[in-house]
Amino acid sequence: MSEAAKTPPPAPPAYTVLIGFVLLLAALFGAAYAAGAAAGPVAPGLHRTDGGGTGGGHGTQPSGGDMGGMGGMRH
């Protein structure tokens, strides 16, 4: 074999690789968004039933409510 056949091809410039990565990332995010939009809401019936308000609780637990067996968790 000749010496010309043994040399590796030149690497593409760094900005070309970066642009390709950003385009691939954008395509993946677009596909994920489209799949999520096609699937619809995860739990359409899941909403607060306590009438709303500005309580600091999570989910349907009222703010400052008893957490059952977590009596030692005082702050």
Side-chain angles (χ1 to χ4, degrees), residues 3-74:
E3 285 295 318
K6 291 183 180 180
T7 59
Y15 66 87
T16 304
V17 174
L18 180 64
I19 290 173
F21 176 73
V22 169
L23 288 175
L24 178 65
L25 196 61
L28 287 175
F29 275 112
Y33 181 81
V42 175
L46 185 63
H47 55 82
R48 294 181 68 152
T49 58
D50 64 351
T54 59
H58 298 286
T60 58
Q61 178 68 30
S63 174
D66 185 22
M67 294 295 289
M70 301 182 75
M73 302 290 289
R74 304 281 184 230

